[in-house]
Structures are given as structure tokens and as C-alpha cells.
Amino acid sequence: MRIDVITIFPDMFPGVLGASMLKRAQEAGLLQVQLHDLRDYSHDKHRKVDDRPYGGGPGMVMRVEPIAEALEAIRSTACAAHGEAAPGTCQRILMSPEGEPLSTLVAKQAAAVQHLTVVCGHYEGVDERVKAVVDRAISIGDYVLTGGELPAMVLIDAVARYIPGVIGHEDATKEESFADGQLEYPQYTRPPVFRGLAVPDVLLSGDHERVAAWRREQSMDRTRTHRPDLLRERNGQ
Ligand code: 4FV
């Protein structure tokens, strides 16, 4: 999978992309991330990519032209390389609080696309016409951040986990929170007792049936207690 990122802060990414699973995924050739400095697509002598909002108001807005030109430059290179025959081969995504909420389903869908281009906004946001040059907008949550860079990293991390071969054991993504619309069961490891807190006996029993039943029960209890909305959603309510 290839992911191109358009940002005015490319230096924010190496730390996240250069560690742990994302690093291994790139080294294994399962994931390729290309960073693009949006300022390279500014025609302004000061490489400005923002301007004051029409209609007045606080802050600055990111101009549409540099973003559109960066997308076209990527299309003419990366997309040309993998051939755009199959629809859905590539997707251009704007990270925005107005976007569709990032979820397990959205991450899985995006992981099925061969080539993603992610646009990171900044300042007060991007010119509304940016939505005409991207395929979708995704939000990581109902709060406003200083920039789209962290959301882009969250998206890359969430998507990378669904690229076959990135997660050591495929089952991991099958038995985890939200995989089946529920919260995952509690996990324990050594020591068997910590400051009087003991690991549930069933997990030390070696009785796989009982362990599986206990885990199903725990998952349902925790979901009912902490995220009843997930159950309503799953039951289509
Ligand atoms: C955001 C979010 C987010 C809004 C203004 C960047 C900021 C600034 N992106 N999920 N929540 N973006 O807050 O995706 O441009």
C-alpha cells in the first residue's frame, strides 16, 4: 500500500513512521509513505499557502490551489505508476472535523485501497473548495486540533494494521475491540497476583472452553457498561 501525505509540517511524521509496526511495515515493503511539503506547491515568494477568510473572521484559511496542484502532481506520478484503471485504486482523503468519523470499518475500507493521498489542514481550516478535489473527508473525533497531521498519523496507523502481513498474527485484528462491534475482554499477564489483585482463576485453568466463555461474557458486560451505544448500533437501533 502507498500513502502520500500533503502537509506543511512534514517533519512531524518521521518520529511516528520511523518506529515499531509502521517502521517494520515500510521495511517489509508492505507500506510506503511519501511526505509532500505543501509549500513546494505555493507560487508565493514567501511560500505562503494560506490567506485571510472572505467575509472576515479570525485566523487564516488554507488556499485551494497549492492543495489541488499537489494532488495533481501526486496523481501524475504515483497514480500513473500504479495505473488508475481500477476505480477505487486510489483515494484522496481530507482530514477534517467535518469528515465521516474514523472507525474500524472506515479503516478496513481504506486499507483495501491500493493508494491513499491524505491532505492535512491547518489554521482555521481549508478552503471549502478543497472538498471538490478530494474523494472523502475523515474525522478522528469531535474536537478541533491545531492541524490535520496528528489525524493523518492516526489514520495511517489504524489503516496499516489491516494491511495483510503488518500485524504479526492476523487473528489480532479479529479479536479486539470493535472487531465485532464490542469492547475486547480484559487482558492479563504475569504476575498472577499484583498488590493483592489476582488474575481471574479461569485464565489459569487451561480450560480453553471456559476461558472462551468467560471472555465472551466479559466482552459483553464491558460493552453493556461502558459503550451501550455500540450494542444499539450493532442491533441497528
Ligand atoms: C481534525 C479532526 C481536526 C481543524 C482545523 C485542523 C483541525 C485545522 N481533523 N479530525 N478532529 N483538524 O481537528 O480530523 O485545520
Side-chain angles (χ1 to χ4, degrees):
M1 176 178 212
R2 176 178 169 134
I3 302 179
D4 287 83
V5 179
I6 299 170
T7 168
I8 56 173
F9 292 109
D11 302 346
M12 287 177 68
F13 289 78
V16 168
L17 297 175
S20 180
M21 228 180 288
L22 293 177
K23 181 170 184 264
R24 285 198 298 278
Q26 291 165 86
E27 286 167 346
L30 297 167
L31 173 66
Q32 183 194 357
V33 180
Q34 189 65 45
L35 304 172
H36 305 265
D37 186 336
L38 182 61
R39 295 189 187 287
D40 295 343
Y41 298 90
S42 166
H43 299 292
D44 174 89
K45 62 183 173 306
H46 305 296
R47 293 163 59 79
K48 264 171 66 65
V49 294
D50 63 329
D51 209 329
R52 284 178 285 100
Y54 277 127
M60 300 294 273
V61 175
M62 293 187 93
R63 295 175 63 120
V64 60
E65 311 104 311
I67 294 172
E69 287 170 29
L71 287 165
E72 270 127 35
I74 292 165
R75 178 179 290 279
S76 60
T77 50
C79 301
H82 61 59
E84 228 183 296
T89 305
C90 25
Q91 221 165 61
R92 299 157 299 173
I93 298 172
L94 169 66
M95 301 312 296
S96 164
E98 294 105 41
E100 58 194 290
L102 179 59
S103 65
T104 299
L105 180 60
V106 168
K108 278 183 182 165
Q109 286 169 343
V113 174
Q114 195 182 336
H115 176 212
L116 295 179
T117 302
V118 182
V119 178
C120 305
H122 227 82
Y123 313 116
E124 291 310 308
V126 301
D127 185 296
E128 189 64 15
R129 295 165 287 185
V130 169
K131 294 193 177 130
V133 292
V134 297
D135 302 303
R136 67 196 304 193
I138 292 178
S139 170
I140 65 164
D142 299 343
Y143 39 82
V144 178
L145 301 166
T146 60
E149 284 72 21
L150 291 174
M153 295 176 209
V154 168
L155 177 72
I156 293 170
D157 191 294
V159 167
R161 299 179 72 255
Y162 292 110
I163 300 170
V166 168
I167 295 255
H169 29 79
E170 296 309 320
D171 292 353
T173 58
K174 294 191 184 61
E175 266 200 38
E176 63 184 8
S177 287
F178 316 112
D180 57 358
Q182 287 184 206
L183 297 181
E184 190 178 18
Y185 48 78
Q187 298 275 13
Y188 293 86
T189 187
R190 283 181 296 186
V193 180
F194 171 72
R195 297 180 184 169
L197 301 170
V199 171
D201 294 341
V202 61
L203 297 179
L204 308 174
S205 69
D207 179 335
H208 299 305
E209 270 314 300
R210 275 188 60 218
V211 169
W214 179 86
R215 284 177 167 174
R216 281 193 298 276
E217 199 186 294
Q218 288 290 315
S219 168
M220 181 50 82
D221 287 356
R222 291 153 68 93
T223 309
R224 226 183 261 117
T225 309
H226 304 299
R227 293 294 307 278
D229 59 298
L230 291 174
L231 298 176
R232 285 195 296 276
E233 203 177 294
R234 202 176 62 173
N235 307 338
Q237 285 158 5

